[in-house]
Every structure is written in structure tokens, then in C-alpha cells.
Amino acid sequence: MTLPLTELGPLYDELFPICRSITGPGIRDSLGIFARHMPLEIKGVATGTPVLDWTVPQEWELRRARLFGPEGNVILDTQDSNLHVLNFSEPFTGEMDLEDLQAHLYSDDTLPDAIPYVTSYYVPRWGLCLAKSTRDRLKPGRYRVEIDTQKRDGVLNYGVAELPGDSDDLVLITSYLCHPSMANNELSGPLGLLRIYQLLASQPRRHYTYRFLLIPETIGSITYLAQHGDELKDRLKSGLVLTCLGGPERQVSFKMSRQDWTGAPAPIDRLARHLEAADPTRFSVREFTPTGGSDERQFCSQGFNLPMGQAARTVYGQFDAYHTSADDLEFMTIAAVERSAEAVAATLSALDVAEVHFVNTAPYGEPQLGRRGLYPSLNGPMTNQFSSDQTQDGRTTLNNLLCILSLADGSRSLIAIAAHIGASVLDLAPIARHLEAEGLLVRGDA
């Protein structure tokens, strides 16, 4: 069954203005919006709950923050941009001279016209964020600050949805949903996750069970691991953290898991390296590092050491607009997110069969492909009947099919067959599925 695909542009427009943080109504409302488009179950973990070496923080809510100049003029207002307030800022109302105010102002010297995104989740302080060009124009005098925020006991929210497969073995796809109004660094991951869910849900069959997780970054993955870490150790076969899926880069970039770093690559690591070798114009890899990055640091931490990679397009920290108001739709396009989601969905679809050791059920002579609609009835141009991101002509498809049948003796995986014949497993995977459906292949490792 083919599911209707959500239009990501209008969804982006609905999500972008929301002031999100790691807890509070911003992330809760955003999860509710995603729950309209996928069967997302929204969970809550109470403030004060111990989670590994951390504690679930209070909820935080921004009502409004403004800065008034010496003449009563409005210098900044969070109704214009919710980046104007230090995320998780304490409330504050009062007047002070510019010299004292400067200690509570944050700007980015490298992007003088952009508002920086600054946080203080675990150390209480108040503050305002503004463009360096605006800050440089501030005149000496008395300024009035009005920061209307609230911290209160509540819950840390996250959302989870699952697509069942033939196996209980699990593939985890996760992204964070905790930043205010930024595009590539905030919304590209969740929007891509939704699209990947819809694309995989439309497939008639899945081997793995796929779990989709939307969480606040760092504290969300730590909380989830505190609750489900033992289960993931038992069931997780591979996974991806989605981040920065938009932007102008052409390649989808995979960061390896810690398992690859320590010499025992996971299936997702082997697949990523294969894709880079097969088509370096579309895919690249980055080595694992516990510094920087996103929630793969938590999933891949020493005690868990889960097979979690990361997928990105224009990577965090490698574009000037990162963590500023310049990260908008002029930088990140919805079309780029769509392309990334399609590439990741194709990768996951291939992961379903990449490690399978198929066995040809008709090894004595070629099976009669014509009566199965797998061989042309005319000696002429052929069409490609198999779905794939990389369009091939029918002759190449038939050649790949014949190579699979010849090499599928149970001694090698599909990804090994692809490497042997110089093809991409993205192209072999739909052929292998079709041959399996026709009864010409069985899983030797089943």
C-alpha cells in the first residue's frame, strides 16, 4: 500500500515559529504536530528522574522577552525572533546601564547580521541574543529588560513510532526536536525522519522492525537509554541519527559508529562504506569521533557501544549559518531534505537485505525467467522494472539479476556480491527482493 506523503513545505511553516527547548510546551506542541502525520506515541519522564549520570530537568517556557533602549524604543523582541532570548533563560525584569547589560548580551562576531543561538540549560542565568551589528549600535544609557519565562516541574517529552517487520531485530532512526527557529540544524532531521517513515511504511515487506524516535538532543537520548538501553543492546542491529539533512551539499554523508572505530564495523558501517565506494558522487563517510556530533555520542558511548551511525548532508559546524538565524529556507531547501530522505530510505531498504546470504533455488541451468516476466520476450530494448534511486537501463538490470543468481550460493552476502561485480547494493536489493518473491532465492541465513 502506498501512503500519501505529507507536504513538507507547509509542515515546515507550521513548525518553524515555535520556540522549542529540551523540555516544555515548545517540544510538546511540535511532537503533537508530527503525531498528526505518523503514529507517534508521545511519552513523558518526570522532572527529577535520575537518568544514568543525569537528572531530568524542569520544563521551560518562553512567553516573551524584550529589550528597550534609553529612549523607550524596542531594541529586540522575541515576537520577531525567538532566538533573541537565551534558551532556558531565567526570568528577569529590571533596568541597568549598558555597561552592566553587556554581560548578559550574546552575539556572533563572525556573522555580524545574524542572531546567535545560545543556551544555558543547566546553569541558571538570564540573557538576550542579538546581531553584532545591532549590539554595536547600542548607545550608553539606561536599558530596560523584560524576560518573561517560567521554569516548573513537569516532564521531558519524546515521541516514538514503530514499523513492524518479519524480524524482531531492530533498526533505530532518531532525530532531535529541541531547537528554536532554525532550519537545517533543527527541522531538517525531523522532517526527513517523517518522510523516511512514510517511504518505508509504503513498502509491502520489511525484514527488520524500524523504530522512529524524536527526542530532545543529549538529555533525550540519555533518558531513552536509561529506559531502553538493555533492550537496544539485545535487539538493535543498526541505526542512524538524522541531522542537518538540508543545505547545498550534493552527498549524503554517513558518520561511522564507534564499533567501526574500534575495529568491528556494524552492518550500517559496512553499507555506508560500500555506498561511498560504489557512488562517491552521492555518498561519503566520516570517521567516528566522540567529540562534536549529535546523539550518536550517547548511543555509541562505551557502556552501550550500539551500532548507531549518523546521516547528514550539509554537516553541523561546517556551514557559516550554523546555530544562527541565518539558518533558514534561503540556506536549507525542502527539496534538499526530500533528496536526503529518499537516499536514506533507499539505504535502509538495502540494509534489509545487504547482509543476507541468498541461495539460488534453481542452480542447475538458468531458471526460465521469461515466464516470470524477468526476461524480454523480444530481442530489443529493455526497460527497468525494478525500483531504484539509480536508474539503469534494462540490460544492466538483467545482467545484475543473472549475476545474483550465479553468485547466490549461500557463501556470500548480497553486499559482497555487489562489490564483486562492481555494482551498488542499492541496485541489487530490489532485484533480490523480486527474485525472492518469485521463489528463485531463499535466505541461507534464515
Side-chain angles (χ1 to χ4, degrees):
M1 178 182 67
T2 301
L3 298 177
L5 300 182
T6 301
E7 289 190 36
L8 297 187
L11 185 57
Y12 170 92
D13 293 339
E14 185 177 6
L15 289 162
F16 187 79
I18 298 174
C19 185
R20 284 170 290 272
S21 190
I22 56 174
T23 56
I27 187 171
R28 190 159 45 244
D29 292 347
S30 299
L31 288 168
I33 291 171
F34 276 96
R36 302 202 311 257
H37 301 275
M38 61 189 297
L40 199 67
E41 185 179 1
I42 300 174
K43 306 279 191 175
V45 181
T47 297
T49 302
V51 285
L52 305 181
D53 195 44
W54 298 58
T55 303
V56 173
Q58 291 184 304
E59 291 192 15
W60 179 80
E61 180 179 5
L62 166 70
R63 295 190 180 98
R64 191 176 187 181
R66 289 182 291 179
L67 175 65
F68 296 89
E71 299 175 357
N73 55 311
V74 177
I75 305 296
L76 59 84
D77 188 337
T78 52
Q79 289 190 349
D80 298 325
S81 172
N82 55 43
L83 290 171
H84 275 311
V85 70
L86 175 72
N87 202 274
F88 239 72
S89 172
E90 298 290 314
F92 179 84
T93 300
E95 293 187 359
M96 63 184 63
D97 292 331
L98 177 60
E99 182 179 358
D100 296 323
L101 177 64
Q102 292 285 9
H104 300 278
L105 299 181
Y106 302 91
S107 54
D108 185 345
D109 291 348
T110 65
L111 284 179
D113 294 322
I115 306 165
Y117 167 58
V118 187
T119 69
S120 184
Y121 298 137
Y122 302 106
V123 176
R125 53 167 58 90
W126 65 266
L128 298 166
C129 304
L130 70 170
K132 179 66 162 53
S133 57
T134 302
R135 186 175 185 174
D136 288 343
R137 292 194 297 269
L138 297 180
K139 299 177 181 179
R142 297 286 289 177
Y143 286 77
R144 179 169 179 80
V145 177
E146 295 180 0
I147 300 177
D148 186 4
T149 59
Q150 183 182 28
K151 290 182 180 179
R152 57 181 176 270
D153 288 348
V155 296
L156 177 148
N157 292 112
Y158 65 86
V160 62
E162 205 157 283
L163 279 175
D166 296 333
S167 168
D168 287 335
D169 290 341
L170 194 66
V171 174
L172 179 64
I173 311 301
T174 180
S175 190
Y176 50 82
L177 187 62
C178 58
H179 298 68
S181 299
M182 290 175 288
N184 188 44
N185 184 60
E186 166 64 356
L187 291 177
S188 69
L191 291 174
L193 180 143
L194 170 63
R195 178 62 82 240
I196 293 164
Y197 172 89
Q198 293 175 333
L199 291 171
L200 293 181
S202 296
Q203 293 184 355
R205 182 182 177 187
R206 292 170 297 276
H207 173 68
Y208 291 120
T209 293
Y210 287 85
R211 183 176 295 171
F212 294 81
L213 181 65
L214 285 173
I215 50 178
E217 196 170 22
T218 304
I219 186 62
S221 55
I222 285 170
T223 299
Y224 192 78
L225 285 165
Q227 296 179 318
H228 299 279
D230 290 340
E231 179 206 8
L232 294 180
K233 283 184 177 181
D234 290 339
R235 294 182 58 195
L236 191 68
K237 297 305 177 184
S238 281
L240 285 173
V241 175
L242 307 178
T243 178
C244 297
L245 291 177
E249 297 296 329
R250 291 184 59 198
Q251 298 168 318
V252 169
S253 171
F254 292 108
K255 180 181 177 181
M256 301 293 97
S257 78
R258 182 180 178 275
Q259 292 186 11
D260 183 82
W261 197 44
T262 55
I268 192 66
D269 300 319
R270 291 191 289 269
L271 179 56
R273 291 197 184 278
H274 165 82
L275 293 179
E276 181 188 52
D279 191 353
T281 66
R282 294 185 65 221
F283 298 99
S284 63
V285 299
R286 290 168 284 131
E287 301 303 322
F288 175 80
T289 172
T291 63
S294 185
D295 282 316
E296 73 280 353
R297 303 195 328 265
Q298 313 311 324
F299 291 107
C300 294
S301 58
Q302 184 186 122
F304 291 106
N305 195 28
L306 295 170
M308 288 289 291
Q310 183 209 91
R313 181 176 287 271
T314 304
V315 182
Y316 46 87
Q318 297 181 15
F319 60 98
D320 290 341
Y322 178 64
H323 273 192
T324 75
S325 59
D327 182 1
D328 57 19
L329 275 189
E330 290 188 16
F331 175 78
M332 183 208 85
T333 65
I334 297 298
V337 177
E338 291 276 16
R339 289 193 298 271
S340 295
E342 290 167 3
V344 173
T347 299
L348 295 171
S349 184
L351 180 68
D352 244 19
V353 293
E355 302 283 331
V356 174
H357 289 62
F358 284 107
V359 176
N360 183 349
T361 62
Y364 296 99
E366 291 181 6
Q368 189 177 10
L369 301 176
R371 65 182 171 84
R372 297 177 171 90
L374 298 175
Y375 200 89
S377 59
L378 287 174
N379 186 12
M382 300 170 59
T383 57
N384 180 9
Q385 59 185 301
F386 301 101
S387 62
S388 171
D389 274 358
Q390 302 179 40
T391 301
Q392 304 177 61
D393 61 33
R395 176 58 61 184
T396 302
T397 299
L398 178 59
N399 289 343
N400 285 340
L401 184 154
L402 294 171
C403 287
I404 292 173
L405 289 174
S406 180
L407 293 170
D409 58 6
S411 67
R412 53 179 68 80
S413 66
L414 187 65
I415 196 171
I417 291 174
H420 183 77
I421 66 175
S424 170
V425 75
L426 293 188
D427 293 317
L428 299 197
I431 301 173
R433 282 198 189 85
H434 197 90
L435 291 172
E436 186 180 21
E438 291 289 337
L440 291 174
L441 291 181
V442 295
R443 298 178 182 231
D445 53 357

